[in-house]
Amino acid sequence: MPPRKAHTTRRTPAKKSGVRRRLLRLLVTGVPVLALCGVAWLWLESVRLTRIEIVGARQADPGELRRLAAVDSGAALFDLDPALIADRVARHPWVQAASVTRWPTGTLRIAVEERVPVVLQMDAGGRPLRYLDAEGYGMPPGRGPVPDVPLLYGVRGPAHPMRPLEDEPVRALLTTLAALEDPARALISEIVRAPDGEFWLYTTPAAGQRSVPVRLGREDFERRLRRLVAFWQQAVLTQPHKTFSLIDLRFANQIVVREEAHPSTQKSAMGHE
């Protein structure tokens, strides 16, 4: 058999002209795009920081947050690292989280989420020391409205401004308090940790009742506080003629109370649950 001829494809003049037109279109459209990108890059490089906007700061001083951000006016805005600036701002004791946005107008926007105080920790002399949030982080007195939270006595620390309280029973109590609804939280006026480690709380005077001491114990705070709220609504508020001098929550299935009229007797005011 004669050898097969190799098949070759030849571009006709019409095909060659079509290829040239496509290349020409790419050049015509691509060059302006590249030029535009270059102009945009140069424009971004020319944007300077003219303003720092602080959003969400109620207790934290905006001036302190700007100092922590550590950026200079006139700096190239889009050369600044938002993550680095947010990390610096989050070192403020009141700031739980921060985010940073750079605007082409020259504004650096710093949005902060502040910690929510749960108690006001008092020192050994009975003076305000710091607020504590649900995780045990400490915050100094702020610049905004004074938070309406219970006072906490008999607790030390935290010693480090960037670390939470290491006392596990106290942290467990703080977590429980933070989860309470507002009416239940308003029931508690003061919390005292006795030298033996046991917690006592004192109710807010209301409905003809003086502040009542409540023996909370050392554990199971969530369940015990739920029982206290239920008892207060069912037994205390419905009996304004009675004066309670003690409420003991340490027992598993009952609440033991003492009435002022009969200080030598104790009785169960709530039976098995």
Side-chain angles (χ1 to χ4, degrees):
M1 294 179 63
R4 300 178 64 180
K5 295 182 178 180
H7 179 72
T8 58
T9 301
R10 295 183 178 179
R11 296 181 184 272
T12 64
K15 289 183 178 179
K16 292 180 180 179
S17 178
V19 171
R20 291 193 190 98
R21 284 197 298 270
R22 286 195 293 272
L23 290 174
L24 184 60
R25 281 200 298 269
L26 287 175
L27 289 173
V28 171
T29 59
V31 170
V33 169
L34 292 174
L36 183 62
C37 290
V39 170
W41 181 81
L42 290 174
W43 177 75
L44 289 176
E45 283 290 303
S46 69
V47 176
R48 298 294 165 176
L49 174 64
T50 58
R51 180 171 177 264
I52 299 177
E53 178 185 8
I54 306 294
V55 179
R58 294 176 178 82
Q59 297 292 344
D61 184 352
E64 293 181 9
L65 299 181
R66 290 187 180 92
R67 286 193 291 273
L68 285 172
V71 291
D72 297 324
S73 178
L77 181 62
F78 288 92
D79 284 345
L80 301 176
D81 187 343
L84 178 60
I85 297 172
D87 181 69
R88 292 171 182 164
V89 173
R91 298 175 186 232
H92 192 283
W94 273 100
V95 176
Q96 184 172 19
S99 61
V100 175
T101 306
R102 300 167 298 180
W103 292 98
T105 57
T107 297
L108 185 74
R109 185 178 188 268
I110 301 175
V112 299
E113 179 184 348
E114 292 190 334
R115 298 187 181 277
V116 179
V118 176
V119 298
L120 176 58
Q121 183 182 356
M122 312 296 284
D123 66 14
R127 296 177 295 270
L129 182 60
R130 58 175 67 87
Y131 291 99
L132 295 174
D133 73 352
E135 299 177 74
Y137 283 94
M139 301 89 73
R143 58 187 290 273
V146 177
D148 186 12
V149 294
L151 307 181
L152 176 64
Y153 295 87
V155 174
R156 294 184 178 181
H160 196 285
M162 294 296 294
R163 296 174 187 166
L165 194 71
E166 296 181 357
D167 193 321
E168 290 299 330
V170 176
R171 290 177 62 177
L173 179 58
L174 293 173
T175 301
T176 302
L177 292 173
L180 290 177
E181 299 293 335
D182 287 337
R185 192 180 298 117
L187 176 61
I188 304 170
S189 174
E190 298 179 5
I191 302 170
V192 178
R193 191 184 200 184
D196 63 358
E198 187 173 351
F199 289 92
W200 290 70
L201 64 84
Y202 294 83
T203 63
T204 303
Q209 290 286 340
R210 299 196 301 265
S211 180
V212 181
V214 179
R215 200 165 183 177
L216 191 58
R218 298 181 176 87
E219 59 187 2
D220 200 13
F221 302 125
E222 181 180 356
R223 182 168 176 269
R224 292 178 183 181
L225 287 177
R226 284 202 312 265
R227 292 167 59 212
L228 172 63
V229 172
F231 172 78
W232 195 265
Q233 293 174 346
Q234 298 169 16
V236 178
L237 297 182
T238 59
Q239 302 182 85
H241 59 283
K242 288 188 177 181
T243 301
F244 296 91
S245 59
L246 176 66
I247 301 175
D248 195 337
L249 302 173
R250 294 173 301 157
F251 303 96
N253 296 315
Q254 62 181 0
I255 295 177
V256 175
V257 300
R258 181 180 298 160
E259 296 179 22
E260 192 173 83
H262 304 282
S264 62
T265 62
Q266 287 185 333
K267 66 177 183 178
S268 174
M270 183 176 292
H272 292 277
E273 298 177 337

